[in-house]
Amino acid sequence: MEQNSPFPVFPMHFRGLLLLAGIYTVCWSAFYKWYGETLLRWLAMDAELTQFPPFNYFGTFGLLIGLILFVSAFYPISWVWLILAGITGKIIMAIWFSLGFIPDLGWNKRSIFHLVFNELIWLIPLILIFLRSLQVKNYLLEQEEK
């Protein structure tokens, strides 16, 4: 492929970011699934928790979203809708954490860390990758028609 080609290249580092987002989501979600009570006590900064939010379901949903993001990295142009599913899942997880966990945990530096760095900050690169994938997919469809 030429350097001056008008073809909108899909950079390899985008695939790496999708793999990283998937693995990162899987790892944090595994903590929720298998070490939920300990993790929630840590996030609450050792405040007394009288009840625990449904961390097992949250972890299972996160594992599913992480796997979707991970798999989407293999064919990000063909499976562009998997990237959108991952973005939607991250938004759902952020809302779920805010509404389902924060009332019990309280707003503190650890819960804000989790919300920002594990859910919200990933939306920026995921949305950029999704838009770039759509751009490349549309270009390929246009070239096919010619």
Side-chain angles (χ1 to χ4, degrees), residues 28-128:
W28 268 99
S29 299
F31 282 132
Y32 273 96
K33 180 139 179 79
W34 289 292
Y35 304 107
E37 287 185 23
T38 306
L39 179 62
L40 291 177
R41 282 194 180 98
W42 180 79
L43 286 172
M45 295 187 69
D46 299 321
E48 291 297 320
L49 290 176
T50 56
Q51 66 180 23
F52 290 97
F55 56 84
N56 190 28
Y57 297 121
F58 187 76
T60 303
F61 184 74
L63 286 170
L64 178 66
I65 295 303
L67 289 174
I68 286 172
L69 286 170
F70 184 81
V71 168
S72 72
F74 294 106
Y75 300 103
I77 297 167
S78 301
W79 295 344
V80 68
W81 303 112
L82 284 180
I83 300 170
L84 184 61
I87 292 169
T88 305
K90 290 300 251 181
I91 292 170
I92 290 170
M93 289 179 71
I95 292 169
W96 189 350
F97 186 79
S98 297
L99 299 177
F101 287 77
I102 292 298
D104 295 323
L105 301 176
W107 289 105
N108 58 55
K109 63 183 177 183
R110 292 178 185 168
S111 62
I112 293 170
F113 166 81
H114 173 77
L115 183 62
V116 171
F117 289 101
N118 295 337
E119 308 302 343
L120 298 178
I121 203 130
W122 282 108
L123 292 176
I124 297 166
L126 289 176
I127 289 170
L128 291 174

